[in-house]
Amino acid sequence: MVMEKAREAKVREAKVREVLVIGGNRYFGKRLIRRLLAAGDRVTVLNRGSAAPPAGALHLVADRDDENSLRAALGSRTFDVVVDQVCYTPRQAALARRVFTGRTRRYVMTSTVEVYEYEDSPAALVPESAVDPRTVAVDLGLPWEDSEFLDSHYGEGKRQAEAVLAADPAFPYVAVRVAHVLGGDDDFTGRLAHYADRIRTGAPVAVPLANRPATYIHVEEIADFLAWAAGADFTGPVNAASHGLLSTEDLCEAIAARLPGGRVEPRGVEVGEVSPLSFTRSYGMDNTRATRLGFTFGEARQWLPKAVAETLGKGD
Protein backbone atom coordinates (compact mmCIF):
# COMPACT_ATOMS: atom_id res chain seq x y z
CA MET A 1 0.00 0.00 0.00
CA VAL A 2 2.80 2.39 0.91
CA MET A 3 4.64 1.67 -2.34
CA GLU A 4 1.43 2.12 -4.33
CA LYS A 5 0.81 5.55 -2.76
CA ALA A 6 4.40 6.51 -3.49
CA ARG A 7 3.96 5.56 -7.15
CA GLU A 8 0.74 7.60 -7.31
CA ALA A 9 2.55 10.58 -5.81
CA LYS A 10 5.30 10.27 -8.42
CA VAL A 11 2.73 10.17 -11.22
CA ARG A 12 1.06 13.31 -9.87
CA GLU A 13 4.45 14.99 -9.59
CA ALA A 14 5.32 14.04 -13.17
CA LYS A 15 2.17 15.77 -14.43
CA VAL A 16 2.97 19.10 -12.79
CA ARG A 17 4.07 21.62 -15.40
CA GLU A 18 6.69 24.28 -14.90
CA VAL A 19 5.26 27.49 -16.40
CA LEU A 20 6.94 30.87 -16.68
CA VAL A 21 4.82 33.98 -17.23
CA ILE A 22 6.71 37.09 -18.32
CA GLY A 23 4.75 40.14 -17.24
CA GLY A 24 1.21 39.29 -16.21
CA ASN A 25 0.97 42.07 -13.62
CA ARG A 26 -2.53 43.17 -14.53
CA TYR A 27 -5.81 42.54 -16.32
CA PHE A 28 -5.99 39.18 -18.11
CA GLY A 29 -2.40 38.35 -17.17
CA LYS A 30 -3.41 38.09 -13.50
CA ARG A 31 -6.37 35.92 -14.42
CA LEU A 32 -4.15 33.63 -16.50
CA ILE A 33 -1.77 33.10 -13.58
CA ARG A 34 -4.64 32.21 -11.27
CA ARG A 35 -5.92 29.65 -13.77
CA LEU A 36 -2.51 28.04 -14.13
CA LEU A 37 -2.12 27.81 -10.35
CA ALA A 38 -5.62 26.36 -9.99
CA ALA A 39 -4.70 23.70 -12.56
CA GLY A 40 -1.81 22.60 -10.37
CA ASP A 41 1.00 24.12 -12.41
CA ARG A 42 4.14 25.45 -10.76
CA VAL A 43 4.08 29.05 -11.92
CA THR A 44 7.00 31.45 -11.97
CA VAL A 45 6.30 35.10 -12.75
CA LEU A 46 9.09 37.30 -14.07
CA ASN A 47 8.83 41.09 -14.10
CA ARG A 48 10.77 44.16 -13.04
CA GLY A 49 9.40 43.99 -9.52
CA SER A 50 6.66 46.57 -10.01
CA ALA A 51 4.03 44.20 -8.65
CA ALA A 52 4.00 40.92 -6.77
CA PRO A 53 2.34 37.95 -8.48
CA PRO A 54 -0.75 36.20 -7.12
CA ALA A 55 -0.17 34.08 -4.02
CA GLY A 56 1.30 30.69 -4.86
CA ALA A 57 3.54 31.85 -7.71
CA LEU A 58 7.31 32.17 -7.52
CA HIS A 59 8.55 35.69 -8.28
CA LEU A 60 11.68 36.49 -10.28
CA VAL A 61 12.79 40.09 -10.79
CA ALA A 62 14.62 41.02 -13.99
CA ASP A 63 14.56 43.45 -16.90
CA ARG A 64 13.45 41.38 -19.89
CA ASP A 65 15.24 43.86 -22.18
CA ASP A 66 18.59 43.14 -20.48
CA GLU A 67 19.89 39.72 -21.51
CA ASN A 68 22.39 39.46 -18.67
CA SER A 69 19.71 40.40 -16.13
CA LEU A 70 17.31 37.88 -17.60
CA ARG A 71 19.82 35.03 -17.69
CA ALA A 72 20.96 35.78 -14.14
CA ALA A 73 17.39 35.70 -12.83
CA LEU A 74 16.55 32.46 -14.63
CA GLY A 75 19.74 30.66 -13.65
CA SER A 76 19.53 27.04 -14.76
CA ARG A 77 15.73 26.89 -14.70
CA THR A 78 13.88 25.19 -17.55
CA PHE A 79 10.16 25.31 -18.30
CA ASP A 80 7.50 23.29 -20.02
CA VAL A 81 5.80 26.51 -21.16
CA VAL A 82 6.71 30.19 -21.30
CA VAL A 83 3.87 32.69 -21.72
CA ASP A 84 5.25 36.07 -22.76
CA GLN A 85 2.72 38.82 -22.03
CA VAL A 86 5.03 41.75 -22.75
CA CYS A 87 6.86 41.08 -26.02
CA TYR A 88 6.30 44.20 -28.12
CA THR A 89 9.31 44.45 -30.45
CA PRO A 90 11.55 42.32 -32.64
CA ARG A 91 14.48 43.09 -30.35
CA GLN A 92 12.64 41.65 -27.38
CA ALA A 93 11.67 38.61 -29.43
CA ALA A 94 15.26 38.06 -30.61
CA LEU A 95 16.54 38.24 -27.04
CA ALA A 96 13.83 35.89 -25.83
CA ARG A 97 14.56 33.39 -28.58
CA ARG A 98 18.26 33.34 -27.65
CA VAL A 99 17.55 32.91 -23.95
CA PHE A 100 14.75 30.34 -24.18
CA THR A 101 16.00 28.14 -27.01
CA GLY A 102 16.61 24.80 -25.31
CA ARG A 103 15.06 26.10 -22.09
CA THR A 104 11.36 25.59 -22.90
CA ARG A 105 9.24 23.16 -24.88
CA ARG A 106 6.63 25.79 -25.72
CA TYR A 107 6.72 29.58 -26.05
CA VAL A 108 3.38 31.41 -26.17
CA MET A 109 3.57 35.08 -27.16
CA THR A 110 0.57 37.36 -26.60
CA SER A 111 0.18 39.15 -29.93
CA THR A 112 -2.66 41.33 -31.20
CA VAL A 113 -5.34 41.92 -33.80
CA GLU A 114 -3.28 45.00 -34.71
CA VAL A 115 -0.98 42.80 -36.80
CA TYR A 116 -3.79 43.05 -39.36
CA GLU A 117 -3.64 46.86 -39.48
CA TYR A 118 -2.99 46.78 -43.24
CA GLU A 119 -5.83 44.37 -43.92
CA ASP A 120 -9.35 45.56 -44.69
CA SER A 121 -11.83 42.84 -45.56
CA PRO A 122 -15.32 43.97 -44.51
CA ALA A 123 -16.94 41.16 -46.49
CA ALA A 124 -15.03 38.37 -44.71
CA LEU A 125 -13.28 37.71 -41.41
CA VAL A 126 -9.49 37.72 -41.60
CA PRO A 127 -7.68 34.37 -41.13
CA GLU A 128 -4.18 33.91 -39.73
CA SER A 129 -2.80 33.35 -43.24
CA ALA A 130 -3.43 37.03 -44.06
CA VAL A 131 -0.23 37.84 -42.15
CA ASP A 132 2.40 35.10 -42.44
CA PRO A 133 5.21 36.07 -40.03
CA ARG A 134 7.70 34.13 -42.14
CA THR A 135 7.28 36.75 -44.87
CA VAL A 136 7.42 39.85 -42.64
CA ALA A 137 10.56 41.98 -42.95
CA VAL A 138 12.37 42.65 -39.67
CA ASP A 139 14.25 45.88 -38.93
CA LEU A 140 16.05 45.73 -35.60
CA GLY A 141 17.53 49.17 -36.29
CA LEU A 142 14.27 51.07 -35.87
CA PRO A 143 13.99 53.12 -32.63
CA TRP A 144 12.06 50.45 -30.75
CA GLU A 145 13.36 51.81 -27.43
CA ASP A 146 11.49 55.09 -28.02
CA SER A 147 8.11 54.90 -26.28
CA GLU A 148 6.39 57.30 -28.68
CA PHE A 149 7.65 55.37 -31.70
CA LEU A 150 6.57 52.09 -30.13
CA ASP A 151 3.10 53.42 -29.30
CA SER A 152 2.58 54.58 -32.87
CA HIS A 153 3.99 51.34 -34.32
CA TYR A 154 2.33 48.88 -31.95
CA GLY A 155 1.02 46.57 -34.68
CA GLU A 156 4.30 46.66 -36.57
CA GLY A 157 6.26 45.85 -33.42
CA LYS A 158 4.10 42.80 -32.75
CA ARG A 159 4.23 41.73 -36.40
CA GLN A 160 8.03 41.88 -36.46
CA ALA A 161 8.27 40.15 -33.08
CA GLU A 162 6.25 37.26 -34.52
CA ALA A 163 8.57 37.21 -37.53
CA VAL A 164 11.65 36.83 -35.33
CA LEU A 165 10.12 33.87 -33.49
CA ALA A 166 8.99 32.27 -36.76
CA ALA A 167 12.45 32.61 -38.34
CA ASP A 168 13.71 29.54 -36.48
CA PRO A 169 11.58 26.54 -37.53
CA ALA A 170 12.79 24.62 -34.47
CA PHE A 171 11.59 27.24 -32.00
CA PRO A 172 8.20 26.05 -30.63
CA TYR A 173 6.34 29.36 -30.63
CA VAL A 174 2.67 30.31 -30.65
CA ALA A 175 1.48 33.85 -31.40
CA VAL A 176 -1.97 34.46 -29.90
CA ARG A 177 -3.51 37.32 -31.87
CA VAL A 178 -5.85 38.79 -29.30
CA ALA A 179 -8.99 40.68 -30.30
CA HIS A 180 -9.97 43.88 -28.49
CA VAL A 181 -10.52 42.89 -24.86
CA LEU A 182 -13.49 44.11 -22.82
CA GLY A 183 -14.82 43.54 -19.32
CA GLY A 184 -13.61 43.37 -15.75
CA ASP A 185 -13.67 45.97 -13.00
CA ASP A 186 -9.93 46.44 -13.53
CA ASP A 187 -10.12 47.49 -17.19
CA PHE A 188 -7.36 50.09 -17.29
CA THR A 189 -7.86 51.18 -20.91
CA GLY A 190 -10.64 53.70 -20.29
CA ARG A 191 -12.26 52.90 -23.62
CA LEU A 192 -15.73 52.01 -22.37
CA ALA A 193 -15.48 54.79 -19.79
CA HIS A 194 -14.94 57.24 -22.67
CA TYR A 195 -18.30 56.27 -24.15
CA ALA A 196 -20.01 56.34 -20.78
CA ASP A 197 -18.80 59.88 -20.13
CA ARG A 198 -20.06 61.05 -23.53
CA ILE A 199 -23.42 59.35 -23.13
CA ARG A 200 -23.94 60.71 -19.58
CA THR A 201 -23.45 64.29 -20.73
CA GLY A 202 -25.26 63.93 -24.03
CA ALA A 203 -22.08 64.69 -25.96
CA PRO A 204 -21.79 63.22 -29.46
CA VAL A 205 -19.60 60.20 -30.08
CA ALA A 206 -17.18 60.81 -32.94
CA VAL A 207 -16.95 57.96 -35.46
CA PRO A 208 -15.54 57.74 -38.99
CA LEU A 209 -18.01 58.23 -41.82
CA ALA A 210 -17.25 54.63 -42.83
CA ASN A 211 -17.20 52.98 -39.39
CA ARG A 212 -16.34 49.27 -39.44
CA PRO A 213 -17.28 46.67 -36.81
CA ALA A 214 -14.67 44.54 -35.04
CA THR A 215 -14.26 41.28 -33.16
CA TYR A 216 -13.87 41.33 -29.38
CA ILE A 217 -13.15 38.95 -26.52
CA HIS A 218 -14.09 39.06 -22.84
CA VAL A 219 -11.26 39.40 -20.32
CA GLU A 220 -12.14 36.06 -18.71
CA GLU A 221 -12.33 34.35 -22.08
CA ILE A 222 -8.87 35.45 -23.19
CA ALA A 223 -7.46 34.22 -19.87
CA ASP A 224 -9.14 30.88 -20.55
CA PHE A 225 -7.75 30.89 -24.08
CA LEU A 226 -4.15 31.54 -23.02
CA ALA A 227 -4.35 28.83 -20.37
CA TRP A 228 -5.70 26.45 -23.02
CA ALA A 229 -3.01 27.46 -25.54
CA ALA A 230 -0.31 26.85 -22.94
CA GLY A 231 -1.43 23.23 -22.66
CA ALA A 232 -2.00 22.53 -26.35
CA ASP A 233 0.56 21.33 -28.90
CA PHE A 234 -0.08 23.44 -32.01
CA THR A 235 2.35 26.16 -33.10
CA GLY A 236 2.24 29.35 -35.16
CA PRO A 237 -0.26 32.20 -35.20
CA VAL A 238 -3.80 31.74 -33.88
CA ASN A 239 -6.67 34.24 -33.70
CA ALA A 240 -8.47 34.62 -30.36
CA ALA A 241 -11.86 36.32 -30.74
CA SER A 242 -15.41 35.65 -29.60
CA HIS A 243 -18.02 34.85 -32.23
CA GLY A 244 -19.73 37.82 -33.84
CA LEU A 245 -18.93 41.40 -34.73
CA LEU A 246 -19.68 44.48 -32.64
CA SER A 247 -19.92 48.04 -33.90
CA THR A 248 -19.30 51.27 -32.00
CA GLU A 249 -23.07 51.71 -31.93
CA ASP A 250 -23.49 48.25 -30.34
CA LEU A 251 -21.07 49.20 -27.58
CA CYS A 252 -22.72 52.57 -26.98
CA GLU A 253 -26.21 51.08 -26.87
CA ALA A 254 -25.09 48.52 -24.27
CA ILE A 255 -23.62 51.33 -22.17
CA ALA A 256 -26.68 53.58 -22.59
CA ALA A 257 -28.88 50.74 -21.33
CA ARG A 258 -27.09 50.99 -17.96
CA LEU A 259 -27.27 54.78 -17.67
CA PRO A 260 -30.50 56.53 -16.64
CA GLY A 261 -31.64 58.62 -19.58
CA GLY A 262 -28.63 57.47 -21.58
CA ARG A 263 -28.78 58.52 -25.20
CA VAL A 264 -26.34 57.73 -28.00
CA GLU A 265 -25.55 60.46 -30.49
CA PRO A 266 -23.01 59.26 -33.06
CA ARG A 267 -21.37 61.93 -35.20
CA GLY A 268 -19.52 61.01 -38.36
CA VAL A 269 -16.31 62.93 -38.96
CA GLU A 270 -14.13 63.07 -42.05
CA VAL A 271 -10.97 64.18 -40.24
CA GLY A 272 -9.85 64.42 -36.63
CA GLU A 273 -9.72 62.04 -33.70
CA VAL A 274 -12.47 59.46 -33.38
CA SER A 275 -13.56 57.45 -30.35
CA PRO A 276 -11.25 54.63 -29.20
CA LEU A 277 -13.26 51.68 -30.57
CA SER A 278 -14.16 53.14 -33.96
CA PHE A 279 -12.39 51.86 -37.06
CA THR A 280 -12.14 52.89 -40.68
CA ARG A 281 -11.13 49.35 -41.65
CA SER A 282 -12.42 45.94 -40.71
CA TYR A 283 -10.97 44.38 -37.56
CA GLY A 284 -12.89 41.14 -37.83
CA MET A 285 -10.79 38.04 -37.11
CA ASP A 286 -11.65 34.53 -38.24
CA ASN A 287 -11.46 32.17 -35.24
CA THR A 288 -11.87 28.96 -37.26
CA ARG A 289 -8.38 27.64 -36.54
CA ALA A 290 -8.75 27.85 -32.77
CA THR A 291 -12.25 26.39 -32.95
CA ARG A 292 -11.02 23.41 -34.98
CA LEU A 293 -8.17 22.92 -32.50
CA GLY A 294 -10.73 22.54 -29.74
CA PHE A 295 -11.40 25.90 -28.08
CA THR A 296 -15.03 26.93 -27.60
CA PHE A 297 -15.64 30.66 -27.91
CA GLY A 298 -18.59 32.59 -26.52
CA GLU A 299 -20.87 34.99 -28.40
CA ALA A 300 -19.81 38.62 -28.07
CA ARG A 301 -23.38 39.92 -27.97
CA GLN A 302 -24.21 37.61 -25.09
CA TRP A 303 -21.38 38.70 -22.80
CA LEU A 304 -21.34 42.40 -23.80
CA PRO A 305 -23.92 43.56 -21.17
CA LYS A 306 -21.91 41.78 -18.47
CA ALA A 307 -18.68 43.38 -19.66
CA VAL A 308 -20.25 46.83 -19.55
CA ALA A 309 -21.62 46.25 -16.05
CA GLU A 310 -18.24 45.02 -14.80
CA THR A 311 -16.29 47.91 -16.27
CA LEU A 312 -18.64 50.76 -15.41
CA GLY A 313 -19.55 49.46 -11.98
CA LYS A 314 -22.91 48.86 -10.39
CA GLY A 315 -23.21 52.48 -9.34
CA ASP A 316 -23.55 53.77 -12.90
Side-chain angles (χ1 to χ4, degrees):
M1 180 66 71
V2 173
M3 292 181 63
E4 184 176 331
K5 287 184 177 180
R7 283 196 297 270
E8 290 176 354
K10 287 183 179 180
V11 169
R12 286 195 298 271
E13 181 71 15
K15 292 180 179 179
V16 174
R17 292 184 305 178
E18 295 285 350
V19 182
L20 173 69
V21 178
I22 305 175
N25 293 357
R26 59 182 181 177
Y27 209 31
F28 58 83
K30 294 190 301 183
R31 291 166 171 82
L32 166 65
I33 293 167
R34 294 191 190 106
R35 281 161 171 74
L36 295 172
L37 289 169
D41 295 324
R42 274 196 292 258
V43 181
T44 301
V45 177
L46 185 146
N47 57 38
R48 287 187 284 191
S50 56
L58 176 67
H59 190 194
L60 298 180
V61 177
D63 181 353
R64 64 91 36 82
D65 293 325
D66 182 330
E67 187 165 348
N68 290 332
S69 171
L70 183 57
R71 289 187 183 276
L74 292 172
S76 61
R77 293 178 177 87
T78 60
F79 304 93
D80 296 295
V81 187
V82 174
V83 183
D84 193 342
Q85 293 280 83
V86 289
C87 184
Y88 300 111
T89 74
R91 290 184 193 171
Q92 291 175 327
L95 188 156
R97 202 182 78 187
R98 288 195 300 272
V99 170
F100 289 106
T101 293
R103 195 189 284 266
T104 185
R105 295 189 300 197
R106 187 166 182 77
Y107 186 93
V108 180
M109 169 195 163
T110 302
S111 189
T112 174
V113 62
E114 300 289 342
V115 301
Y116 299 118
E117 63 183 329
Y118 301 131
E119 305 299 318
D120 186 9
S121 181
L125 299 177
V126 179
E128 292 85 355
S129 57
V131 175
D132 182 346
R134 295 169 298 180
T135 66
V136 171
V138 173
D139 189 347
L140 297 175
L142 291 173
W144 296 112
E145 73 286 349
D146 182 271
S147 59
E148 290 187 8
F149 178 85
L150 184 56
D151 286 345
S152 62
H153 293 78
Y154 177 69
E156 184 61 27
K158 288 287 192 178
R159 189 164 38 246
Q160 291 195 28
E162 286 191 28
V164 169
L165 299 180
D168 180 358
F171 191 71
Y173 90 101
V174 177
V176 178
R177 294 172 176 172
V178 182
H180 304 289
V181 182
L182 298 178
D185 60 4
D186 55 341
D187 181 357
F188 63 93
T189 66
R191 295 177 300 192
L192 292 186
H194 167 91
Y195 292 113
D197 290 343
R198 306 291 290 182
I199 292 168
R200 281 192 193 95
T201 60
V205 174
V207 298
L209 293 179
N211 189 28
R212 306 293 189 193
T215 41
Y216 292 83
I217 193 164
H218 190 270
V219 62
E220 301 291 346
E221 188 170 35
I222 187 56
D224 286 339
F225 188 93
L226 288 167
W228 168 79
D233 58 6
F234 65 89
T235 57
V238 62
N239 291 338
S242 298
H243 297 303
L245 295 165
L246 297 173
S247 66
T248 308
E249 290 77 11
D250 293 328
L251 300 177
C252 288
E253 287 171 6
I255 294 169
R258 286 194 57 80
L259 301 177
R263 181 172 56 87
V264 181
E265 185 186 337
R267 182 182 65 192
V269 295
E270 290 189 39
V271 294
E273 188 172 350
V274 298
S275 61
L277 294 173
S278 299
F279 309 106
T280 57
R281 59 190 180 282
S282 174
Y283 266 119
M285 290 198 298
D286 185 340
N287 63 17
T288 300
R289 184 183 189 216
T291 300
R292 288 176 176 168
L293 286 167
F295 189 82
T296 301
F297 290 101
E299 296 284 343
R301 290 183 182 276
Q302 291 183 3
W303 57 250
L304 178 59
K306 174 187 175 185
V308 170
E310 293 167 345
T311 304
L312 301 188
K314 294 183 179 179
D316 288 308

